[in-house]
Amino acid sequence: FMTEMRERNLHLMHELSVVDELKAELEQKAWGHNEEVRSAHEKNLHTVGNIRQAFISMSVDQAVLQSEKEKLEKWKKENEHINYREMIRELKEELVHLKHELSETKGNLAMKEQEFKQSEAKLHKMTQARRELTDKLAMTETKMLQLTPRIPRRYGELQHELKYDQILALDEALSMKMNIDSIMGLLLDTKLGPYLKFFGYLANNPYATYGKLTEVLHNQDWAELEKHVDAFTVQIAGNMLHHGVEMEKVATLLVGRDQDNKDLSKIGHKIIGLYASSANDPEKIEQLKNALMHANMSTVDRFKEAQSQVTDIKKHEAARDRYVEKLESEKKEYEDSVKEKMERRQAHKKKNMFEKFVEKEHGSHFIAFGTGLDVPRCFKYSGKIKNRSLGKKETESLVKEIWAAKKVWDEGKPERTRMEVYISVFLGDKYQELEQAELADNAYNFVNGLKIHSYDADCELFLKILLGHVTEEVYVALQDTQDELLQTMINTDKQLHNNSETGRIPKKDMSRLIETFFKAKTTLRISELQDSIEKQQPGKSTIEYKKLFEEDECFNQGPFLEEVKDQALAERLEYLQELETAFYRYSDSEHQLAEDGARKAFKLVDPDMSKEKLKFSLEKVYATTERLTKDHKVDVQEAMERLQKCVIGKGNRFKQFAKLAKLTLQGTKNPFAK
């Protein structure tokens, strides 16, 4: 700015000199010029004054600028010892850490909140039922005040299927003392539907009575009929008989009355063919008959039934109140347990370098771990590494290479090499010809690629194993479950096609196969698996099941296999989170879990747990095969770390997984083959 001011100053000085020269020239010419020249001279003098004023103003601005510059230099000297960039970096790291803790807390609470929402939904239904029964009670008490109580008719299990006008029609039919078999015949009729618009067509014809019309139709005396009705009616009657409609029903339809001369004009349109779709369903027919008989009870019997319902209402109300109290008590215990658990975890949890790397938001570069002894070889580097945002195809290709190489590496060893150790071995061998900087570049970008593409089930599982959140046995169990599922589909295919493998299974059989194979899953998750098959192969009546397991050129699996893997990982994490919460609930003030507390925790989380599964789980928690006593105790965090190394979960497939884990550790390549 000062440089610019100097340039402007020089420019103004130059203009001033030009003006002075012009002034001298004008003064020389002023003697011979007229009044107009003198006026121009005065204007020039005014211009010179303005220029001088501008020059003075610029000098003042220059002084102010110099003063501000001195203040800035003084402030820099006073604050030069403060490293603001370091403070901002520390604050950002602390913010990321707090966000992670908040996310983890929300995840732990979400599961129980869902359970409480379901319980609230049940309570809502119970409350609604209570209101309905209370309304019935109030209505019953009102009727009891009358000399002859009139209790509304109830149609049993069909009450909620019928519309209001249909109930009124059936009430009218029963009030007219119509035979139940006659009502059943109208309800189940399958042939009168197209002719309902002609119901009561001859109602005002004095000749056309039910008896006369039935007699004429029985004798097929069409000439006699044509004397009293129009030709169109004769044609309609002939068409109905031709299509198999019984003569009695033809007469009932045209006249609008039944054989007992009961007027059906108000109810015929509403009940004829109402249950035609159930005409061949014996169970539904029996249900319908029972409903009509129940509705046809005498007033006295209906009144007694209402009194019985009043008693049931009071019992349900008392049970509901007890259930609410129990829920509130359990909710308070759970909230206290979660609070204590989170405080405990916050005090003891220590994150490894990979967890910190994944949680941190990276820009165009990564900050390396350094060259300390605890840093794996391929990650040893000091300084910045460029973020190449590795693509999914390249990332998942490396994942598959690592799994294949690690299987060979671990073969014959007493226990598996931890993934955070082996990844350095693999990358060191793969990029052995590269310099350390290039090796670190590939290592850091691979881990970041896993984070970027963690929406993919394979990348997510590998990352969780690398971070130590999931044991490698989960991957092995998942792969073998996938193989077993495919083999089950092949076996089903052969059973359906005379021991011939066609590659196709009918959709309904595939649905039953999924329900049977995954019978330990919830109904919702079974439905999600079935929906994923429909999404992958929409609108097909037969499923090409081998295509469900195929990958594209970028290693993307179809919706079905992704759903299988996502559910397996989610179910395992949910189970471990529930167990951890239950362990804290039954542990002492020092978070030590006794043997009886562990038993209660397992039974709370998995009420259907078998004795064999409970024994296996307790052995893993206490790391012993000896007989457990009350003196056996273990820290909750230590127990959870031990369980994370096991293949464990809810449901009937536990035995297969437990056996699989054992056989896998013994080096069996395909446990399910045996």
Side-chain angles (χ1 to χ4, degrees), residues 157-158 161 184 187-190 274-290:
E157 298 177 357
L158 302 182
E161 295 180 9
M184 291 278 291
L187 290 170
L188 298 170
D189 186 271
T190 59
L274 183 60
Y275 283 92
S277 60
S278 303
N280 296 320
D281 185 353
E283 184 177 349
K284 191 68 175 182
I285 293 173
E286 184 66 22
Q287 185 184 33
L288 181 60
K289 188 172 183 178
N290 291 336

PDB file of all heavy atoms in Angstrom, residues 157-158 161 184 187-190 274-290:
ATOM      1  N   GLU A 157     -64.869 -64.151  15.620  1.00  0.00           N
ATOM      2  CA  GLU A 157     -63.625 -63.820  14.924  1.00  0.00           C
ATOM      3  C   GLU A 157     -63.858 -62.994  13.660  1.00  0.00           C
ATOM      4  O   GLU A 157     -62.934 -62.377  13.139  1.00  0.00           O
ATOM      5  CB  GLU A 157     -62.872 -65.101  14.559  1.00  0.00           C
ATOM      6  CG  GLU A 157     -62.452 -65.922  15.776  1.00  0.00           C
ATOM      7  CD  GLU A 157     -61.777 -67.223  15.399  1.00  0.00           C
ATOM      8  OE1 GLU A 157     -61.680 -67.516  14.184  1.00  0.00           O
ATOM      9  OE2 GLU A 157     -61.360 -67.948  16.307  1.00  0.00           O
ATOM     10  N   LEU A 158     -65.099 -62.992  13.161  1.00  0.00           N
ATOM     11  CA  LEU A 158     -65.409 -62.250  11.940  1.00  0.00           C
ATOM     12  C   LEU A 158     -65.819 -60.802  12.209  1.00  0.00           C
ATOM     13  O   LEU A 158     -66.046 -60.041  11.279  1.00  0.00           O
ATOM     14  CB  LEU A 158     -66.533 -62.952  11.158  1.00  0.00           C
ATOM     15  CG  LEU A 158     -66.282 -64.406  10.746  1.00  0.00           C
ATOM     16  CD1 LEU A 158     -67.462 -64.923   9.953  1.00  0.00           C
ATOM     17  CD2 LEU A 158     -65.017 -64.509   9.916  1.00  0.00           C
ATOM     18  N   GLU A 161     -63.758 -58.262  10.478  1.00  0.00           N
ATOM     19  CA  GLU A 161     -63.710 -58.366   9.019  1.00  0.00           C
ATOM     20  C   GLU A 161     -64.897 -57.661   8.366  1.00  0.00           C
ATOM     21  O   GLU A 161     -64.803 -57.174   7.240  1.00  0.00           O
ATOM     22  CB  GLU A 161     -63.722 -59.839   8.587  1.00  0.00           C
ATOM     23  CG  GLU A 161     -62.506 -60.628   9.003  1.00  0.00           C
ATOM     24  CD  GLU A 161     -62.577 -62.068   8.537  1.00  0.00           C
ATOM     25  OE1 GLU A 161     -63.485 -62.401   7.748  1.00  0.00           O
ATOM     26  OE2 GLU A 161     -61.735 -62.858   8.970  1.00  0.00           O
ATOM     27  N   MET A 184     -76.215 -68.798   5.329  1.00  0.00           N
ATOM     28  CA  MET A 184     -74.937 -69.340   4.859  1.00  0.00           C
ATOM     29  C   MET A 184     -74.960 -69.518   3.349  1.00  0.00           C
ATOM     30  O   MET A 184     -73.983 -69.223   2.648  1.00  0.00           O
ATOM     31  CB  MET A 184     -74.646 -70.676   5.539  1.00  0.00           C
ATOM     32  CG  MET A 184     -74.333 -70.580   7.023  1.00  0.00           C
ATOM     33  SD  MET A 184     -72.621 -70.134   7.319  1.00  0.00           S
ATOM     34  CE  MET A 184     -71.806 -71.622   6.757  1.00  0.00           C
ATOM     35  N   LEU A 187     -74.471 -66.154   1.738  1.00  0.00           N
ATOM     36  CA  LEU A 187     -73.131 -65.624   1.952  1.00  0.00           C
ATOM     37  C   LEU A 187     -72.088 -66.321   1.084  1.00  0.00           C
ATOM     38  O   LEU A 187     -71.147 -65.690   0.591  1.00  0.00           O
ATOM     39  CB  LEU A 187     -72.731 -65.755   3.427  1.00  0.00           C
ATOM     40  CG  LEU A 187     -73.463 -64.846   4.423  1.00  0.00           C
ATOM     41  CD1 LEU A 187     -73.133 -65.261   5.849  1.00  0.00           C
ATOM     42  CD2 LEU A 187     -73.076 -63.390   4.204  1.00  0.00           C
ATOM     43  N   LEU A 188     -72.246 -67.644   0.900  1.00  0.00           N
ATOM     44  CA  LEU A 188     -71.240 -68.430   0.185  1.00  0.00           C
ATOM     45  C   LEU A 188     -71.554 -68.590  -1.296  1.00  0.00           C
ATOM     46  O   LEU A 188     -70.810 -69.274  -2.008  1.00  0.00           O
ATOM     47  CB  LEU A 188     -71.106 -69.817   0.829  1.00  0.00           C
ATOM     48  CG  LEU A 188     -70.624 -69.830   2.292  1.00  0.00           C
ATOM     49  CD1 LEU A 188     -70.760 -71.213   2.885  1.00  0.00           C
ATOM     50  CD2 LEU A 188     -69.164 -69.382   2.356  1.00  0.00           C
ATOM     51  N   ASP A 189     -72.640 -67.976  -1.765  1.00  0.00           N
ATOM     52  CA  ASP A 189     -73.035 -68.156  -3.165  1.00  0.00           C
ATOM     53  C   ASP A 189     -71.958 -67.591  -4.103  1.00  0.00           C
ATOM     54  O   ASP A 189     -71.449 -66.494  -3.899  1.00  0.00           O
ATOM     55  CB  ASP A 189     -74.372 -67.446  -3.431  1.00  0.00           C
ATOM     56  CG  ASP A 189     -74.864 -67.734  -4.836  1.00  0.00           C
ATOM     57  OD1 ASP A 189     -74.492 -66.974  -5.737  1.00  0.00           O
ATOM     58  OD2 ASP A 189     -75.583 -68.739  -5.014  1.00  0.00           O
ATOM     59  N   THR A 190     -71.637 -68.372  -5.140  1.00  0.00           N
ATOM     60  CA  THR A 190     -70.583 -67.976  -6.083  1.00  0.00           C
ATOM     61  C   THR A 190     -71.110 -67.637  -7.471  1.00  0.00           C
ATOM     62  O   THR A 190     -70.329 -67.278  -8.353  1.00  0.00           O
ATOM     63  CB  THR A 190     -69.557 -69.116  -6.220  1.00  0.00           C
ATOM     64  OG1 THR A 190     -70.227 -70.295  -6.694  1.00  0.00           O
ATOM     65  CG2 THR A 190     -68.875 -69.410  -4.904  1.00  0.00           C
ATOM     66  N   LEU A 274     -71.021 -62.559  -0.181  1.00  0.00           N
ATOM     67  CA  LEU A 274     -70.047 -61.840   0.631  1.00  0.00           C
ATOM     68  C   LEU A 274     -68.818 -62.694   0.916  1.00  0.00           C
ATOM     69  O   LEU A 274     -67.692 -62.207   0.953  1.00  0.00           O
ATOM     70  CB  LEU A 274     -70.701 -61.391   1.949  1.00  0.00           C
ATOM     71  CG  LEU A 274     -69.842 -60.558   2.906  1.00  0.00           C
ATOM     72  CD1 LEU A 274     -69.382 -59.274   2.234  1.00  0.00           C
ATOM     73  CD2 LEU A 274     -70.606 -60.240   4.180  1.00  0.00           C
ATOM     74  N   TYR A 275     -69.018 -64.006   1.115  1.00  0.00           N
ATOM     75  CA  TYR A 275     -67.918 -64.934   1.374  1.00  0.00           C
ATOM     76  C   TYR A 275     -67.807 -65.973   0.267  1.00  0.00           C
ATOM     77  O   TYR A 275     -67.451 -67.135   0.513  1.00  0.00           O
ATOM     78  CB  TYR A 275     -68.099 -65.617   2.734  1.00  0.00           C
ATOM     79  CG  TYR A 275     -67.726 -64.731   3.896  1.00  0.00           C
ATOM     80  CD1 TYR A 275     -68.675 -63.932   4.520  1.00  0.00           C
ATOM     81  CD2 TYR A 275     -66.417 -64.674   4.359  1.00  0.00           C
ATOM     82  CE1 TYR A 275     -68.337 -63.103   5.565  1.00  0.00           C
ATOM     83  CE2 TYR A 275     -66.066 -63.850   5.409  1.00  0.00           C
ATOM     84  CZ  TYR A 275     -67.032 -63.062   6.005  1.00  0.00           C
ATOM     85  OH  TYR A 275     -66.682 -62.247   7.047  1.00  0.00           O
ATOM     86  N   ALA A 276     -68.067 -65.544  -0.964  1.00  0.00           N
ATOM     87  CA  ALA A 276     -67.990 -66.469  -2.097  1.00  0.00           C
ATOM     88  C   ALA A 276     -66.585 -67.032  -2.270  1.00  0.00           C
ATOM     89  O   ALA A 276     -66.408 -68.192  -2.677  1.00  0.00           O
ATOM     90  CB  ALA A 276     -68.424 -65.742  -3.378  1.00  0.00           C
ATOM     91  N   SER A 277     -65.562 -66.255  -1.940  1.00  0.00           N
ATOM     92  CA  SER A 277     -64.186 -66.720  -2.103  1.00  0.00           C
ATOM     93  C   SER A 277     -63.832 -67.844  -1.138  1.00  0.00           C
ATOM     94  O   SER A 277     -62.834 -68.541  -1.322  1.00  0.00           O
ATOM     95  CB  SER A 277     -63.221 -65.551  -1.899  1.00  0.00           C
ATOM     96  OG  SER A 277     -63.375 -65.003  -0.599  1.00  0.00           O
ATOM     97  N   SER A 278     -64.653 -68.046  -0.102  1.00  0.00           N
ATOM     98  CA  SER A 278     -64.378 -69.101   0.891  1.00  0.00           C
ATOM     99  C   SER A 278     -65.311 -70.299   0.717  1.00  0.00           C
ATOM    100  O   SER A 278     -65.409 -71.140   1.618  1.00  0.00           O
ATOM    101  CB  SER A 278     -64.527 -68.533   2.310  1.00  0.00           C
ATOM    102  OG  SER A 278     -63.686 -67.423   2.505  1.00  0.00           O
ATOM    103  N   ALA A 279     -65.957 -70.384  -0.418  1.00  0.00           N
ATOM    104  CA  ALA A 279     -66.944 -71.450  -0.625  1.00  0.00           C
ATOM    105  C   ALA A 279     -66.330 -72.838  -0.566  1.00  0.00           C
ATOM    106  O   ALA A 279     -67.014 -73.807  -0.214  1.00  0.00           O
ATOM    107  CB  ALA A 279     -67.650 -71.250  -1.972  1.00  0.00           C
ATOM    108  N   ASN A 280     -65.037 -72.941  -0.885  1.00  0.00           N
ATOM    109  CA  ASN A 280     -64.365 -74.248  -0.883  1.00  0.00           C
ATOM    110  C   ASN A 280     -63.383 -74.384   0.275  1.00  0.00           C
ATOM    111  O   ASN A 280     -62.490 -75.240   0.237  1.00  0.00           O
ATOM    112  CB  ASN A 280     -63.620 -74.448  -2.208  1.00  0.00           C
ATOM    113  CG  ASN A 280     -64.570 -74.492  -3.395  1.00  0.00           C
ATOM    114  OD1 ASN A 280     -65.646 -75.084  -3.311  1.00  0.00           O
ATOM    115  ND2 ASN A 280     -64.177 -73.860  -4.495  1.00  0.00           N
ATOM    116  N   ASP A 281     -63.532 -73.550   1.276  1.00  0.00           N
ATOM    117  CA  ASP A 281     -62.634 -73.576   2.434  1.00  0.00           C
ATOM    118  C   ASP A 281     -63.420 -74.072   3.654  1.00  0.00           C
ATOM    119  O   ASP A 281     -64.136 -73.298   4.298  1.00  0.00           O
ATOM    120  CB  ASP A 281     -62.090 -72.173   2.687  1.00  0.00           C
ATOM    121  CG  ASP A 281     -61.044 -72.149   3.796  1.00  0.00           C
ATOM    122  OD1 ASP A 281     -60.827 -73.194   4.461  1.00  0.00           O
ATOM    123  OD2 ASP A 281     -60.438 -71.079   4.018  1.00  0.00           O
ATOM    124  N   PRO A 282     -63.317 -75.376   3.980  1.00  0.00           N
ATOM    125  CA  PRO A 282     -64.105 -75.935   5.104  1.00  0.00           C
ATOM    126  C   PRO A 282     -63.851 -75.205   6.423  1.00  0.00           C
ATOM    127  O   PRO A 282     -64.775 -75.008   7.210  1.00  0.00           O
ATOM    128  CB  PRO A 282     -63.628 -77.393   5.177  1.00  0.00           C
ATOM    129  CG  PRO A 282     -63.059 -77.681   3.827  1.00  0.00           C
ATOM    130  CD  PRO A 282     -62.479 -76.395   3.343  1.00  0.00           C
ATOM    131  N   GLU A 283     -62.603 -74.818   6.653  1.00  0.00           N
ATOM    132  CA  GLU A 283     -62.271 -74.143   7.912  1.00  0.00           C
ATOM    133  C   GLU A 283     -62.978 -72.793   8.012  1.00  0.00           C
ATOM    134  O   GLU A 283     -63.528 -72.446   9.064  1.00  0.00           O
ATOM    135  CB  GLU A 283     -60.755 -73.959   8.005  1.00  0.00           C
ATOM    136  CG  GLU A 283     -60.292 -73.348   9.319  1.00  0.00           C
ATOM    137  CD  GLU A 283     -58.786 -73.258   9.398  1.00  0.00           C
ATOM    138  OE1 GLU A 283     -58.103 -73.856   8.540  1.00  0.00           O
ATOM    139  OE2 GLU A 283     -58.293 -72.586  10.320  1.00  0.00           O
ATOM    140  N   LYS A 284     -62.999 -72.042   6.911  1.00  0.00           N
ATOM    141  CA  LYS A 284     -63.660 -70.738   6.906  1.00  0.00           C
ATOM    142  C   LYS A 284     -65.175 -70.894   7.022  1.00  0.00           C
ATOM    143  O   LYS A 284     -65.842 -70.100   7.692  1.00  0.00           O
ATOM    144  CB  LYS A 284     -63.304 -69.989   5.604  1.00  0.00           C
ATOM    145  CG  LYS A 284     -63.721 -68.527   5.611  1.00  0.00           C
ATOM    146  CD  LYS A 284     -62.901 -67.726   6.606  1.00  0.00           C
ATOM    147  CE  LYS A 284     -63.229 -66.247   6.542  1.00  0.00           C
ATOM    148  NZ  LYS A 284     -62.407 -65.469   7.478  1.00  0.00           N
ATOM    149  N   ILE A 285     -65.705 -71.934   6.366  1.00  0.00           N
ATOM    150  CA  ILE A 285     -67.155 -72.182   6.440  1.00  0.00           C
ATOM    151  C   ILE A 285     -67.557 -72.482   7.882  1.00  0.00           C
ATOM    152  O   ILE A 285     -68.578 -71.979   8.384  1.00  0.00           O
ATOM    153  CB  ILE A 285     -67.541 -73.343   5.499  1.00  0.00           C
ATOM    154  CG1 ILE A 285     -67.334 -72.905   4.037  1.00  0.00           C
ATOM    155  CG2 ILE A 285     -68.981 -73.776   5.735  1.00  0.00           C
ATOM    156  CD1 ILE A 285     -67.535 -74.031   3.040  1.00  0.00           C
ATOM    157  N   GLU A 286     -66.748 -73.303   8.554  1.00  0.00           N
ATOM    158  CA  GLU A 286     -67.036 -73.635   9.949  1.00  0.00           C
ATOM    159  C   GLU A 286     -66.940 -72.381  10.820  1.00  0.00           C
ATOM    160  O   GLU A 286     -67.767 -72.174  11.714  1.00  0.00           O
ATOM    161  CB  GLU A 286     -66.035 -74.696  10.427  1.00  0.00           C
ATOM    162  CG  GLU A 286     -66.269 -75.214  11.840  1.00  0.00           C
ATOM    163  CD  GLU A 286     -67.574 -75.993  11.966  1.00  0.00           C
ATOM    164  OE1 GLU A 286     -68.089 -76.486  10.941  1.00  0.00           O
ATOM    165  OE2 GLU A 286     -68.081 -76.091  13.109  1.00  0.00           O
ATOM    166  N   GLN A 287     -65.942 -71.558  10.541  1.00  0.00           N
ATOM    167  CA  GLN A 287     -65.782 -70.309  11.292  1.00  0.00           C
ATOM    168  C   GLN A 287     -66.992 -69.389  11.083  1.00  0.00           C
ATOM    169  O   GLN A 287     -67.489 -68.765  12.033  1.00  0.00           O
ATOM    170  CB  GLN A 287     -64.498 -69.614  10.831  1.00  0.00           C
ATOM    171  CG  GLN A 287     -64.152 -68.362  11.622  1.00  0.00           C
ATOM    172  CD  GLN A 287     -62.931 -67.664  11.051  1.00  0.00           C
ATOM    173  OE1 GLN A 287     -62.693 -67.688   9.855  1.00  0.00           O
ATOM    174  NE2 GLN A 287     -62.150 -67.038  11.916  1.00  0.00           N
ATOM    175  N   LEU A 288     -67.468 -69.329   9.848  1.00  0.00           N
ATOM    176  CA  LEU A 288     -68.616 -68.483   9.518  1.00  0.00           C
ATOM    177  C   LEU A 288     -69.877 -68.974  10.224  1.00  0.00           C
ATOM    178  O   LEU A 288     -70.652 -68.189  10.783  1.00  0.00           O
ATOM    179  CB  LEU A 288     -68.811 -68.473   7.998  1.00  0.00           C
ATOM    180  CG  LEU A 288     -69.949 -67.624   7.442  1.00  0.00           C
ATOM    181  CD1 LEU A 288     -69.761 -66.162   7.826  1.00  0.00           C
ATOM    182  CD2 LEU A 288     -70.028 -67.766   5.930  1.00  0.00           C
ATOM    183  N   LYS A 289     -70.057 -70.281  10.214  1.00  0.00           N
ATOM    184  CA  LYS A 289     -71.244 -70.856  10.864  1.00  0.00           C
ATOM    185  C   LYS A 289     -71.225 -70.600  12.368  1.00  0.00           C
ATOM    186  O   LYS A 289     -72.249 -70.240  12.973  1.00  0.00           O
ATOM    187  CB  LYS A 289     -71.317 -72.354  10.575  1.00  0.00           C
ATOM    188  CG  LYS A 289     -72.603 -73.006  11.050  1.00  0.00           C
ATOM    189  CD  LYS A 289     -72.688 -74.445  10.559  1.00  0.00           C
ATOM    190  CE  LYS A 289     -74.021 -75.077  10.965  1.00  0.00           C
ATOM    191  NZ  LYS A 289     -74.146 -76.464  10.455  1.00  0.00           N
ATOM    192  N   ASN A 290     -70.043 -70.777  12.982  1.00  0.00           N
ATOM    193  CA  ASN A 290     -69.917 -70.527  14.423  1.00  0.00           C
ATOM    194  C   ASN A 290     -70.189 -69.066  14.754  1.00  0.00           C
ATOM    195  O   ASN A 290     -70.804 -68.753  15.783  1.00  0.00           O
ATOM    196  CB  ASN A 290     -68.523 -70.922  14.908  1.00  0.00           C
ATOM    197  CG  ASN A 290     -68.296 -72.420  14.870  1.00  0.00           C
ATOM    198  OD1 ASN A 290     -69.255 -73.202  14.910  1.00  0.00           O
ATOM    199  ND2 ASN A 290     -67.040 -72.838  14.789  1.00  0.00           N
TER     200      ASN A 290
END
